[in-house]
Amino acid sequence: MTFHGKTVVVTGVSSGIGADTAKLMRLQGARVIGIDRNSPTLSLDGFVRADLSEKAAIDDAIAMLPDHVDALANIAGVPGTVPADTVARVNFLGLRHLTLKLIERMPEGAAVVNISSALGRQWADRLPEHRALAETPSFEAGLAWLTDYPPPQDTYYQYMKEALIVWTLTQSQKIYLERGIRVNCVAPGAVFTPILGNFVQMLGQDHVAKEAGRVKRPAFSDEIASVVAFLCSDAARGISGVNLPVDGGLSSTYI
Ligand code: NAI
């Protein structure tokens, strides 16, 4: 797996999974441009500060990105302990807006990887809603749809990760056939990053204690980063339209 001569954009680059993904891809030769609302703590080839919850800020960020991008890793995200509107904007609507704009600058053979979550595993239970949301044509139309059909507050984070999975799976083949660009999701289980505590708060101690026996341990963020890098690389050139669990076997325990 090598990224020599490749330009990669990584969102959420200033912490956790995004930081480890950027570091790994740079080590493998990529020119990495990071996007985050916070300053990065690692060496990058470029950095754009942006609040990915705001469409105008995303458009400004896009204007500062290179004309040629070989891979986009959409890693920025917020937990369900922040206001629902922010969860919708960052974890789905902003990500989708950035992706649809940036793929215009991507050549055949490029790749997009979105970070979903093991918590998005029940996407099929709400498929009609997610299909309808996926089909909204813009950031604003998505916000309006969510006002008309408000998701349940107690599973808002899960709902938005489900929405991301359904959008990825339903759009990926069209994008692949028309443009030769692969689009996939990586679905981590619990990962040791600064927001892990927020997930415990979001799910409740009882729920977390009950589920804990399903896996050996939470992942380290480099264990997610290596899979994101793989899916961005030519080594994964036959893979498109998947939501790949990287959860230490968690998803297999729900069968
Ligand atoms: P993190 O908190 O370490 O990193 C998230 C990054 O996103 C931060 O650098 C933050 O500044 C950035 N970000 C958040 N909101 C932003 C905004 N409005 N504009 C620009 N940047 C923004 O968290 P982690 O764990 O690395 O999360 C990465 C992704 O992984 C997220 O999408 C999260 O939902 C997902 N995930 C995390 C899991 C975990 O247990 N840590 C489990 C499953 C999924």
Side-chain angles (χ1 to χ4, degrees):
M1 197 164 63
T2 173
F3 288 95
H4 285 286
K6 304 274 189 190
T7 298
V8 179
V9 173
V10 178
T11 76
V13 78
S14 299
S15 181
I17 300 167
D20 269 1
T21 300
K23 190 173 167 190
L24 176 64
M25 291 170 102
R26 283 194 92 233
L27 280 170
Q28 291 169 344
R31 173 184 174 227
V32 176
I33 315 295
I35 307 180
D36 207 292
R37 61 182 167 178
N38 295 324
S39 300
T41 54
L42 72 163
S43 301
L44 294 168
D45 302 282
F47 174 71
V48 177
R49 187 183 302 278
D51 178 351
L52 295 170
S53 69
E54 295 293 338
K55 180 175 175 259
I58 297 169
D59 288 335
D60 290 347
I62 290 166
M64 288 187 267
L65 293 173
D67 292 339
H68 176 107
V69 173
D70 296 291
L72 168 64
N74 282 311
I75 301 178
V78 289
T81 46
V82 308
D85 179 62
T86 307
V87 176
R89 286 166 173 266
V90 178
N91 292 9
F92 178 59
L93 296 172
L95 181 162
R96 180 178 70 163
H97 182 69
L98 175 68
T99 303
L100 291 175
K101 290 278 179 189
L102 217 53
I103 59 175
E104 292 168 15
R105 299 184 191 179
M106 294 180 150
E108 183 159 346
V112 176
V113 176
N114 302 321
I115 297 288
S116 58
S117 170
L119 291 175
R121 69 177 172 276
Q122 287 170 297
W123 57 266
D125 296 349
R126 306 191 258 204
L127 187 54
E129 290 115 290
H130 289 310
R131 275 190 188 279
L133 178 56
E135 280 162 20
T136 56
S138 65
F139 189 98
E140 295 86 354
L143 276 179
W145 189 93
L146 288 166
T147 303
D148 291 344
Y149 306 97
Q153 289 291 313
D154 59 338
T155 52
Y156 208 96
Y157 175 86
Q158 289 89 330
Y159 191 99
M160 285 303 149
K161 290 297 187 183
E162 292 167 15
L164 177 59
I165 293 165
V166 172
W167 176 71
T168 302
L169 300 192
T170 56
Q171 301 304 307
S172 59
Q173 196 63 355
K174 180 172 175 287
I175 295 170
Y176 191 40
L177 292 176
E178 284 176 7
R179 303 285 318 281
I181 299 169
R182 298 178 296 102
V183 189
N184 292 294
C185 282
V186 167
V191 189
F192 288 118
T193 70
I195 58 173
L196 186 55
N198 298 80
F199 287 118
V200 174
Q201 191 188 334
M202 179 182 101
L203 295 166
Q205 289 284 0
D206 287 351
H207 175 92
V208 172
K210 213 169 79 193
E211 294 285 290
R214 291 180 184 270
V215 288
K216 271 187 180 303
R217 60 163 174 79
F220 295 100
S221 47
D222 62 289
E223 294 170 323
I224 313 302
S226 57
V227 180
V228 176
F230 164 67
L231 286 175
C232 283
S233 79
D234 291 341
R237 64 189 175 278
I239 305 177
S240 190
V242 304
N243 179 46
L244 182 58
V246 185
D247 60 7
L250 174 69
S251 44
S252 68
T253 69
Y254 291 108
I255 289 173

